Amino acid sequence: MRHLFLLLTLCYVTISQAQGITGSELLSRAIAFHDPNGNWKTFDGEFKVLMESPNSSNRLSTISLNTPQQKFSLLVEKDGDSYGYHFDKGICNAFLNGSNEISEEDIKSYRLTCDRGETMKNYYTYLYGLPMKLRDPGTLLDDSVQKKTFNGKEYLVLKVTYDENVGNDVWYFYFDPKSYAMEVYQFYHDESKNDGEYILLQGLEEINGIKMPKTRAWYMNKDNKYLGTDILSKS
């Protein structure tokens, strides 16, 4: 019922350009809310993400990240199997059910290539490093901040694009105008086609002093189709 209610009430309309704040200033205030002590740059910790989706069994992912030592690991548990990747200063190792000896058939079936592992590493460090990751090189912040109403609430909205060698998607980040908490974000591959997805964020989970969104519910932009929900917890 909650998802149905959101779909029925979803709307976002540009109201006006926000006065007196630039995109960079808005991002600084959002980072001050989510990471007040600047812990993301030296993050060394672990957290879990439970993914619930309507057409698949649940997937539990344990993410370990040690930024100073350039280490990352992902352990996925789904349907009685466990698999994932370890990265140590760029050196990648995949594993399946505790073993690094994986058949070609299983590599294909579980997509246990280091290219896939790199994609998942970038995925988790980007999403759970937001909004701090918007300070990374190659990120282009629109200087103009917009006021938009999304699902009945007014937000300050930051548009973000990327250098061609980083990415081609267009992103919009929605921040509470009082606390500067990030509560929605949205991306398009081609905005003129209204493709891509929007993500509704609810609650906060503090991990290593960083306020991360507790739940992320994913929807398609074009038809509001519900895709699934990620639920964050401490390891």
Side-chain angles (χ1 to χ4, degrees), residues 108-141:
K108 184 176 181 180
S109 177
Y110 292 91
R111 304 172 71 185
L112 288 172
T113 66
C114 284
D115 284 345
R116 174 65 175 172
E118 185 72 25
T119 297
M120 297 308 295
K121 177 167 71 74
N122 292 338
Y123 171 83
Y124 282 111
T125 54
Y126 181 79
L127 289 185
Y128 288 92
L130 288 172
M132 294 72 73
K133 292 288 288 181
L134 299 182
R135 289 293 189 204
D136 282 3
T139 307
L140 308 176
L141 308 180

mmCIF file of all heavy atoms in Angstrom, residues 108-141:
data_model
loop_
_atom_site.group_PDB
_atom_site.id
_atom_site.type_symbol
_atom_site.label_atom_id
_atom_site.label_comp_id
_atom_site.label_asym_id
_atom_site.label_seq_id
_atom_site.Cartn_x
_atom_site.Cartn_y
_atom_site.Cartn_z
ATOM 1 N N LYS A 108 30.369 -17.640 -15.475
ATOM 2 C CA LYS A 108 29.353 -17.051 -16.346
ATOM 3 C C LYS A 108 28.016 -16.928 -15.630
ATOM 4 O O LYS A 108 27.340 -15.894 -15.719
ATOM 5 C CB LYS A 108 29.201 -17.900 -17.603
ATOM 6 C CG LYS A 108 28.237 -17.330 -18.617
ATOM 7 C CD LYS A 108 28.207 -18.175 -19.879
ATOM 8 C CE LYS A 108 27.239 -17.588 -20.908
ATOM 9 N NZ LYS A 108 27.207 -18.399 -22.155
ATOM 10 N N SER A 109 27.645 -17.975 -14.902
ATOM 11 C CA SER A 109 26.344 -17.997 -14.235
ATOM 12 C C SER A 109 26.233 -16.921 -13.161
ATOM 13 O O SER A 109 25.195 -16.244 -13.040
ATOM 14 C CB SER A 109 26.104 -19.374 -13.610
ATOM 15 O OG SER A 109 24.880 -19.407 -12.908
ATOM 16 N N TYR A 110 27.310 -16.745 -12.365
ATOM 17 C CA TYR A 110 27.289 -15.779 -11.259
ATOM 18 C C TYR A 110 27.926 -14.443 -11.634
ATOM 19 O O TYR A 110 28.020 -13.560 -10.789
ATOM 20 C CB TYR A 110 28.006 -16.369 -10.040
ATOM 21 C CG TYR A 110 27.286 -17.529 -9.405
ATOM 22 C CD1 TYR A 110 27.554 -18.837 -9.796
ATOM 23 C CD2 TYR A 110 26.324 -17.324 -8.413
ATOM 24 C CE1 TYR A 110 26.892 -19.916 -9.219
ATOM 25 C CE2 TYR A 110 25.666 -18.384 -7.834
ATOM 26 C CZ TYR A 110 25.943 -19.683 -8.241
ATOM 27 O OH TYR A 110 25.277 -20.740 -7.663
ATOM 28 N N ARG A 111 28.381 -14.324 -12.867
ATOM 29 C CA ARG A 111 29.019 -13.101 -13.372
ATOM 30 C C ARG A 111 30.218 -12.722 -12.507
ATOM 31 O O ARG A 111 30.393 -11.573 -12.117
ATOM 32 C CB ARG A 111 27.994 -11.958 -13.438
ATOM 33 C CG ARG A 111 26.783 -12.286 -14.267
ATOM 34 C CD ARG A 111 25.710 -11.226 -14.162
ATOM 35 N NE ARG A 111 26.088 -10.015 -14.842
ATOM 36 C CZ ARG A 111 25.362 -8.889 -14.832
ATOM 37 N NH1 ARG A 111 24.238 -8.840 -14.142
ATOM 38 N NH2 ARG A 111 25.782 -7.816 -15.475
ATOM 39 N N LEU A 112 31.061 -13.704 -12.241
ATOM 40 C CA LEU A 112 32.180 -13.511 -11.323
ATOM 41 C C LEU A 112 33.459 -13.136 -12.066
ATOM 42 O O LEU A 112 34.491 -13.790 -11.968
ATOM 43 C CB LEU A 112 32.388 -14.765 -10.473
ATOM 44 C CG LEU A 112 31.321 -15.008 -9.410
ATOM 45 C CD1 LEU A 112 31.499 -16.354 -8.741
ATOM 46 C CD2 LEU A 112 31.339 -13.889 -8.372
ATOM 47 N N THR A 113 33.376 -12.054 -12.822
ATOM 48 C CA THR A 113 34.557 -11.503 -13.476
ATOM 49 C C THR A 113 35.011 -10.266 -12.714
ATOM 50 O O THR A 113 34.211 -9.614 -12.029
ATOM 51 C CB THR A 113 34.267 -11.111 -14.926
ATOM 52 O OG1 THR A 113 33.322 -10.021 -14.936
ATOM 53 C CG2 THR A 113 33.685 -12.291 -15.703
ATOM 54 N N CYS A 114 36.276 -9.912 -12.861
ATOM 55 C CA CYS A 114 36.775 -8.728 -12.158
ATOM 56 C C CYS A 114 36.199 -7.441 -12.737
ATOM 57 O O CYS A 114 36.082 -6.445 -12.026
ATOM 58 C CB CYS A 114 38.300 -8.712 -12.187
ATOM 59 S SG CYS A 114 39.013 -9.914 -11.011
ATOM 60 N N ASP A 115 35.814 -7.459 -14.016
ATOM 61 C CA ASP A 115 35.126 -6.295 -14.577
ATOM 62 C C ASP A 115 33.793 -6.075 -13.870
ATOM 63 O O ASP A 115 33.425 -4.938 -13.536
ATOM 64 C CB ASP A 115 34.890 -6.480 -16.079
ATOM 65 C CG ASP A 115 36.146 -6.259 -16.902
ATOM 66 O OD1 ASP A 115 37.116 -5.692 -16.357
ATOM 67 O OD2 ASP A 115 36.152 -6.656 -18.083
ATOM 68 N N ARG A 116 33.078 -7.170 -13.637
ATOM 69 C CA ARG A 116 31.819 -7.073 -12.904
ATOM 70 C C ARG A 116 32.067 -6.640 -11.462
ATOM 71 O O ARG A 116 31.325 -5.826 -10.905
ATOM 72 C CB ARG A 116 31.106 -8.429 -12.933
ATOM 73 C CG ARG A 116 29.852 -8.514 -12.075
ATOM 74 C CD ARG A 116 28.759 -7.594 -12.568
ATOM 75 N NE ARG A 116 27.525 -7.788 -11.799
ATOM 76 C CZ ARG A 116 26.457 -7.017 -11.920
ATOM 77 N NH1 ARG A 116 26.451 -6.021 -12.784
ATOM 78 N NH2 ARG A 116 25.381 -7.247 -11.192
ATOM 79 N N GLY A 117 33.130 -7.175 -10.865
ATOM 80 C CA GLY A 117 33.481 -6.776 -9.503
ATOM 81 C C GLY A 117 33.800 -5.296 -9.409
ATOM 82 O O GLY A 117 33.389 -4.618 -8.455
ATOM 83 N N GLU A 118 34.502 -4.770 -10.401
ATOM 84 C CA GLU A 118 34.821 -3.340 -10.426
ATOM 85 C C GLU A 118 33.554 -2.508 -10.545
ATOM 86 O O GLU A 118 33.407 -1.465 -9.889
ATOM 87 C CB GLU A 118 35.751 -3.038 -11.596
ATOM 88 C CG GLU A 118 36.241 -1.604 -11.666
ATOM 89 C CD GLU A 118 37.257 -1.268 -10.593
ATOM 90 O OE1 GLU A 118 37.938 -2.185 -10.102
ATOM 91 O OE2 GLU A 118 37.366 -0.067 -10.247
ATOM 92 N N THR A 119 32.615 -2.979 -11.355
ATOM 93 C CA THR A 119 31.329 -2.282 -11.484
ATOM 94 C C THR A 119 30.595 -2.246 -10.148
ATOM 95 O O THR A 119 30.056 -1.200 -9.752
ATOM 96 C CB THR A 119 30.450 -2.979 -12.539
ATOM 97 O OG1 THR A 119 31.093 -2.889 -13.821
ATOM 98 C CG2 THR A 119 29.073 -2.328 -12.625
ATOM 99 N N MET A 120 30.568 -3.374 -9.433
ATOM 100 C CA MET A 120 29.878 -3.416 -8.154
ATOM 101 C C MET A 120 30.592 -2.575 -7.101
ATOM 102 O O MET A 120 29.947 -1.926 -6.265
ATOM 103 C CB MET A 120 29.758 -4.861 -7.673
ATOM 104 C CG MET A 120 28.927 -5.762 -8.594
ATOM 105 S SD MET A 120 27.301 -5.071 -8.995
ATOM 106 C CE MET A 120 26.517 -5.076 -7.390
ATOM 107 N N LYS A 121 31.913 -2.560 -7.145
ATOM 108 C CA LYS A 121 32.676 -1.714 -6.217
ATOM 109 C C LYS A 121 32.327 -0.245 -6.438
ATOM 110 O O LYS A 121 32.069 0.510 -5.479
ATOM 111 C CB LYS A 121 34.177 -1.925 -6.415
ATOM 112 C CG LYS A 121 35.062 -1.036 -5.547
ATOM 113 C CD LYS A 121 36.508 -1.497 -5.560
ATOM 114 C CE LYS A 121 37.193 -1.235 -6.891
ATOM 115 N NZ LYS A 121 37.490 0.231 -7.062
ATOM 116 N N ASN A 122 32.292 0.165 -7.692
ATOM 117 C CA ASN A 122 31.953 1.558 -8.001
ATOM 118 C C ASN A 122 30.515 1.871 -7.617
ATOM 119 O O ASN A 122 30.208 2.978 -7.130
ATOM 120 C CB ASN A 122 32.171 1.832 -9.485
ATOM 121 C CG ASN A 122 33.633 1.784 -9.878
ATOM 122 O OD1 ASN A 122 34.519 1.943 -9.043
ATOM 123 N ND2 ASN A 122 33.901 1.555 -11.148
ATOM 124 N N TYR A 123 29.618 0.908 -7.820
ATOM 125 C CA TYR A 123 28.200 1.084 -7.499
ATOM 126 C C TYR A 123 28.004 1.345 -6.008
ATOM 127 O O TYR A 123 27.365 2.330 -5.604
ATOM 128 C CB TYR A 123 27.444 -0.174 -7.931
ATOM 129 C CG TYR A 123 26.003 -0.252 -7.476
ATOM 130 C CD1 TYR A 123 24.990 0.379 -8.185
ATOM 131 C CD2 TYR A 123 25.644 -0.987 -6.341
ATOM 132 C CE1 TYR A 123 23.668 0.291 -7.784
ATOM 133 C CE2 TYR A 123 24.327 -1.079 -5.929
ATOM 134 C CZ TYR A 123 23.338 -0.434 -6.655
ATOM 135 O OH TYR A 123 22.031 -0.516 -6.246
ATOM 136 N N TYR A 124 28.573 0.489 -5.164
ATOM 137 C CA TYR A 124 28.360 0.633 -3.726
ATOM 138 C C TYR A 124 29.096 1.834 -3.145
ATOM 139 O O TYR A 124 28.561 2.531 -2.272
ATOM 140 C CB TYR A 124 28.758 -0.645 -2.997
ATOM 141 C CG TYR A 124 27.716 -1.729 -3.101
ATOM 142 C CD1 TYR A 124 27.951 -2.883 -3.847
ATOM 143 C CD2 TYR A 124 26.485 -1.600 -2.457
ATOM 144 C CE1 TYR A 124 26.976 -3.879 -3.941
ATOM 145 C CE2 TYR A 124 25.514 -2.586 -2.554
ATOM 146 C CZ TYR A 124 25.765 -3.714 -3.300
ATOM 147 O OH TYR A 124 24.793 -4.681 -3.394
ATOM 148 N N THR A 125 30.311 2.101 -3.606
ATOM 149 C CA THR A 125 31.033 3.246 -3.055
ATOM 150 C C THR A 125 30.408 4.558 -3.512
ATOM 151 O O THR A 125 30.436 5.549 -2.774
ATOM 152 C CB THR A 125 32.525 3.209 -3.430
ATOM 153 O OG1 THR A 125 32.671 3.085 -4.837
ATOM 154 C CG2 THR A 125 33.220 2.042 -2.759
ATOM 155 N N TYR A 126 29.811 4.571 -4.706
ATOM 156 C CA TYR A 126 29.127 5.785 -5.168
ATOM 157 C C TYR A 126 27.844 6.022 -4.371
ATOM 158 O O TYR A 126 27.673 7.078 -3.751
ATOM 159 C CB TYR A 126 28.809 5.686 -6.659
ATOM 160 C CG TYR A 126 28.110 6.914 -7.213
ATOM 161 C CD1 TYR A 126 28.832 8.063 -7.509
ATOM 162 C CD2 TYR A 126 26.738 6.931 -7.435
ATOM 163 C CE1 TYR A 126 28.203 9.193 -8.011
ATOM 164 C CE2 TYR A 126 26.095 8.048 -7.940
ATOM 165 C CZ TYR A 126 26.826 9.181 -8.232
ATOM 166 O OH TYR A 126 26.200 10.297 -8.723
ATOM 167 N N LEU A 127 26.956 5.040 -4.367
ATOM 168 C CA LEU A 127 25.652 5.252 -3.735
ATOM 169 C C LEU A 127 25.756 5.490 -2.234
ATOM 170 O O LEU A 127 25.073 6.369 -1.687
ATOM 171 C CB LEU A 127 24.736 4.061 -4.008
ATOM 172 C CG LEU A 127 24.216 3.916 -5.434
ATOM 173 C CD1 LEU A 127 23.239 2.759 -5.508
ATOM 174 C CD2 LEU A 127 23.555 5.193 -5.922
ATOM 175 N N TYR A 128 26.610 4.725 -1.555
ATOM 176 C CA TYR A 128 26.689 4.887 -0.102
ATOM 177 C C TYR A 128 27.699 5.950 0.304
ATOM 178 O O TYR A 128 27.816 6.277 1.484
ATOM 179 C CB TYR A 128 26.945 3.535 0.559
ATOM 180 C CG TYR A 128 25.694 2.693 0.488
ATOM 181 C CD1 TYR A 128 25.482 1.818 -0.581
ATOM 182 C CD2 TYR A 128 24.679 2.840 1.422
ATOM 183 C CE1 TYR A 128 24.296 1.097 -0.683
ATOM 184 C CE2 TYR A 128 23.500 2.124 1.323
ATOM 185 C CZ TYR A 128 23.312 1.262 0.268
ATOM 186 O OH TYR A 128 22.128 0.557 0.156
ATOM 187 N N GLY A 129 28.393 6.510 -0.682
ATOM 188 C CA GLY A 129 29.265 7.653 -0.429
ATOM 189 C C GLY A 129 28.622 8.989 -0.770
ATOM 190 O O GLY A 129 29.252 10.035 -0.638
ATOM 191 N N LEU A 130 27.361 8.951 -1.212
ATOM 192 C CA LEU A 130 26.647 10.198 -1.514
ATOM 193 C C LEU A 130 26.214 10.884 -0.223
ATOM 194 O O LEU A 130 25.874 10.211 0.750
ATOM 195 C CB LEU A 130 25.399 9.899 -2.360
ATOM 196 C CG LEU A 130 25.658 9.503 -3.810
ATOM 197 C CD1 LEU A 130 24.356 9.034 -4.470
ATOM 198 C CD2 LEU A 130 26.252 10.669 -4.607
ATOM 199 N N PRO A 131 26.182 12.220 -0.225
ATOM 200 C CA PRO A 131 26.533 13.128 -1.320
ATOM 201 C C PRO A 131 28.025 13.464 -1.402
ATOM 202 O O PRO A 131 28.429 14.245 -2.261
ATOM 203 C CB PRO A 131 25.719 14.385 -0.983
ATOM 204 C CG PRO A 131 25.705 14.408 0.518
ATOM 205 C CD PRO A 131 25.607 12.951 0.933
ATOM 206 N N MET A 132 28.851 12.871 -0.559
ATOM 207 C CA MET A 132 30.275 13.220 -0.540
ATOM 208 C C MET A 132 30.958 12.925 -1.869
ATOM 209 O O MET A 132 31.868 13.639 -2.290
ATOM 210 C CB MET A 132 30.986 12.472 0.594
ATOM 211 C CG MET A 132 30.551 12.873 2.014
ATOM 212 S SD MET A 132 28.897 12.309 2.481
ATOM 213 C CE MET A 132 29.189 10.534 2.709
ATOM 214 N N LYS A 133 30.501 11.871 -2.562
ATOM 215 C CA LYS A 133 31.105 11.488 -3.839
ATOM 216 C C LYS A 133 30.921 12.542 -4.923
ATOM 217 O O LYS A 133 31.589 12.493 -5.967
ATOM 218 C CB LYS A 133 30.526 10.162 -4.312
ATOM 219 C CG LYS A 133 30.920 8.958 -3.464
ATOM 220 C CD LYS A 133 32.383 8.580 -3.654
ATOM 221 C CE LYS A 133 32.652 7.944 -5.004
ATOM 222 N NZ LYS A 133 34.075 7.568 -5.176
ATOM 223 N N LEU A 134 30.034 13.496 -4.683
ATOM 224 C CA LEU A 134 29.824 14.553 -5.671
ATOM 225 C C LEU A 134 30.956 15.584 -5.662
ATOM 226 O O LEU A 134 30.939 16.521 -6.447
ATOM 227 C CB LEU A 134 28.475 15.242 -5.429
ATOM 228 C CG LEU A 134 27.256 14.322 -5.545
ATOM 229 C CD1 LEU A 134 25.970 15.108 -5.330
ATOM 230 C CD2 LEU A 134 27.226 13.595 -6.888
ATOM 231 N N ARG A 135 31.944 15.384 -4.797
ATOM 232 C CA ARG A 135 33.161 16.197 -4.816
ATOM 233 C C ARG A 135 34.282 15.510 -5.613
ATOM 234 O O ARG A 135 35.375 16.065 -5.744
ATOM 235 C CB ARG A 135 33.653 16.468 -3.396
ATOM 236 C CG ARG A 135 32.794 17.431 -2.597
ATOM 237 C CD ARG A 135 32.838 18.827 -3.154
ATOM 238 N NE ARG A 135 32.179 19.794 -2.269
ATOM 239 C CZ ARG A 135 31.680 20.946 -2.693
ATOM 240 N NH1 ARG A 135 31.751 21.267 -3.971
ATOM 241 N NH2 ARG A 135 31.108 21.768 -1.838
ATOM 242 N N ASP A 136 34.010 14.327 -6.164
ATOM 243 C CA ASP A 136 35.047 13.611 -6.900
ATOM 244 C C ASP A 136 35.410 14.330 -8.195
ATOM 245 O O ASP A 136 34.564 15.020 -8.790
ATOM 246 C CB ASP A 136 34.565 12.193 -7.236
ATOM 247 C CG ASP A 136 34.643 11.250 -6.057
ATOM 248 O OD1 ASP A 136 35.026 11.704 -4.957
ATOM 249 O OD2 ASP A 136 34.310 10.063 -6.237
ATOM 250 N N PRO A 137 36.641 14.171 -8.667
ATOM 251 C CA PRO A 137 37.044 14.760 -9.957
ATOM 252 C C PRO A 137 36.137 14.272 -11.090
ATOM 253 O O PRO A 137 35.696 13.117 -11.093
ATOM 254 C CB PRO A 137 38.478 14.242 -10.139
ATOM 255 C CG PRO A 137 38.960 13.932 -8.771
ATOM 256 C CD PRO A 137 37.756 13.460 -8.012
ATOM 257 N N GLY A 138 35.857 15.155 -12.016
ATOM 258 C CA GLY A 138 35.014 14.816 -13.156
ATOM 259 C C GLY A 138 33.540 15.042 -12.926
ATOM 260 O O GLY A 138 32.722 14.860 -13.838
ATOM 261 N N THR A 139 33.166 15.446 -11.699
ATOM 262 C CA THR A 139 31.770 15.743 -11.375
ATOM 263 C C THR A 139 31.494 17.220 -11.648
ATOM 264 O O THR A 139 32.214 18.088 -11.169
ATOM 265 C CB THR A 139 31.476 15.440 -9.899
ATOM 266 O OG1 THR A 139 31.891 14.105 -9.603
ATOM 267 C CG2 THR A 139 30.002 15.587 -9.593
ATOM 268 N N LEU A 140 30.448 17.492 -12.420
ATOM 269 C CA LEU A 140 30.120 18.861 -12.819
ATOM 270 C C LEU A 140 28.826 19.285 -12.143
ATOM 271 O O LEU A 140 27.747 18.762 -12.447
ATOM 272 C CB LEU A 140 29.985 18.950 -14.341
ATOM 273 C CG LEU A 140 31.166 18.385 -15.147
ATOM 274 C CD1 LEU A 140 30.866 18.439 -16.647
ATOM 275 C CD2 LEU A 140 32.452 19.141 -14.825
ATOM 276 N N LEU A 141 28.923 20.212 -11.211
ATOM 277 C CA LEU A 141 27.754 20.712 -10.482
ATOM 278 C C LEU A 141 27.155 21.899 -11.221
ATOM 279 O O LEU A 141 27.866 22.838 -11.585
ATOM 280 C CB LEU A 141 28.140 21.152 -9.074
ATOM 281 C CG LEU A 141 28.917 20.173 -8.191
ATOM 282 C CD1 LEU A 141 29.191 20.822 -6.835
ATOM 283 C CD2 LEU A 141 28.169 18.867 -8.021
#
